[in-house]
Amino acid sequence: MATNRLELKNVTKRFGGLVAVDDLTMTVEPGQIYGLIGPNGAGKTTVFNNITGIYRPEEGEILWRGENLVGMTPNQVVARGIVRTFQTIRLFGEMSVAENVMSGRHIRSRQGWWHGIVHTPGSKRDELENWKKVEEQLDFFNLSQYAAVPAGSLPYGIQRRVEMARAMAVDPTLLILDEPAAGLNDAETLQLLETIFKIRDRGITILLIEHDMDMVMEATDYLTVINFGKKIAEGTPDEIQRNPAVIEAYLGSEDDDE
Ligand SMILES: Nc1ncnc2c1ncn2[C@@H]1O[C@H](COP(=O)(O)OP(=O)(O)O)[C@@H](O)[C@H]1O
Ligand SMILES: [Mg+2]
């Protein structure tokens, strides 16, 4: 039986002359909370875009349960249980919170889009199942009271929760989070941390990009650090915090921080 392991092997992604991801190898084991960190512009989001089928790397393999994801479309990757959130919020502002969470489900529906127009017994069953999943996630993320509220009218911290609920409604095996704590206050960050642990306790593997160092060190079991697209270190949070190359990379980039 294939295990839910994600393996990047010598992945390289170029944009013209710029090597955004440079010969990157890393392995995310099932059940881990795995961190990918590095200074601004290091290539973290590009790594996620390569995994999720938004970009195609020029070199290397991205193996998920032993299957190479390179060349797949984003929908094909989602269909394999890999779901992500984005660094900047991408909600449908006019749509209700519940509809936003539902929009995640529709990507993975067994039935085609036409079933939304032509109602069949099968599509009814699917819709019922979908709403059940949406309700579950609204409850899990403490969003039930906002179900009917347009997502765009809600405070930023709550919108971030809606995004995670939408991703979770797709039933991921691997959840990929791009800077989920960005823009959150301390209380919201703490709440996010608890949520991440709860998601992991459900058996879901988490791959996390995060700028907030305290948060990363608290949350993760294992980390890879990249700079200029290249891996400069990997290890447990303790090992990473003591690594001279990591300290150097972060001190050297202090000017970039807000
Ligand atoms: N679509 C693109 N076209 C050209 N350059 C890009 C594109 N996406 C990212 N880059 C460049 O790749 C590098 C890595 O970007 P990114 O992955 O967003 O970094 P990070 O997420 O670590 O801050 C940056 O220099 C960025 O400008
Ligand atoms: Mg980024």
Side-chain angles (χ1 to χ4, degrees), residues 6 50-51 62-64 67-72 77 80 82:
L6 178 74
N50 279 304
I51 297 169
I62 300 172
L63 302 178
W64 169 241
E67 182 185 21
N68 196 357
L69 301 177
V70 172
M72 287 188 190
V77 175
R80 282 160 179 75
I82 300 178

Side-chain angles (χ1 to χ4, degrees), residues 204-236:
I204 296 165
T205 306
I206 294 165
L207 176 55
L208 174 75
I209 292 175
E210 190 42 69
H211 216 72
D212 181 335
M213 272 309 125
D214 294 342
M215 198 293 205
V216 165
M217 296 302 166
E218 278 284 313
T220 58
D221 303 307
Y222 201 82
L223 290 155
T224 279
V225 189
I226 60 174
N227 197 14
F228 301 109
K230 257 190 176 340
K231 177 158 72 185
I232 58 169
E234 66 168 272
T236 62

Side-chain angles (χ1 to χ4, degrees), residues 80-213:
R80 282 160 179 75
I82 300 178
V83 182
R84 72 173 302 173
T85 61
F86 290 89
Q87 191 169 344
T88 48
I89 286 182
R90 295 193 185 183
L91 291 171
F92 302 105
E94 316 272 292
M95 274 162 53
S96 73
V97 166
E99 285 167 334
N100 269 282
V101 176
M102 176 66 104
S103 71
R105 293 280 319 161
H106 282 144
I107 306 175
R108 213 182 172 172
S109 262
R110 272 172 289 131
Q111 310 215 5
W113 55 270
W114 58 86
H115 285 95
I117 303 164
V118 187
H119 282 279
T120 64
S123 72
K124 267 238 172 74
R125 213 178 314 119
D126 268 13
E127 280 307 290
L128 222 64
E129 166 80 12
N130 281 343
W131 281 114
K132 223 181 77 201
K133 290 278 177 186
V134 170
E135 265 186 348
E136 257 173 51
Q137 293 312 324
L138 292 180
D139 187 46
F140 182 78
F141 284 93
N142 252 316
L143 290 167
S144 302
Q145 76 254 46
Y146 307 115
V149 178
S153 70
L154 288 165
Y156 183 85
I158 297 176
Q159 291 195 31
R160 284 256 134 184
R161 256 154 59 202
V162 176
E163 285 219 301
M164 277 185 72
R166 176 171 63 183
M168 282 293 289
V170 193
D171 268 339
T173 308
L174 173 65
L175 179 65
I176 301 187
L177 304 172
D178 196 345
E179 300 205 21
L184 298 187
N185 62 35
D186 287 354
E188 289 167 336
T189 303
L190 213 63
Q191 190 183 43
L192 170 68
L193 199 62
E194 276 170 27
T195 304
I196 288 175
F197 289 138
K198 264 163 62 185
I199 292 171
R200 192 259 301 272
D201 291 345
R202 292 183 158 195
I204 296 165
T205 306
I206 294 165
L207 176 55
L208 174 75
I209 292 175
E210 190 42 69
H211 216 72
D212 181 335
M213 272 309 125

Side-chain angles (χ1 to χ4, degrees), residues 15 18 20 39-46 55 87:
F15 296 113
L18 175 82
N40 285 331
K44 305 178 295 294
T45 297
T46 305
Y55 296 145
Q87 191 169 344

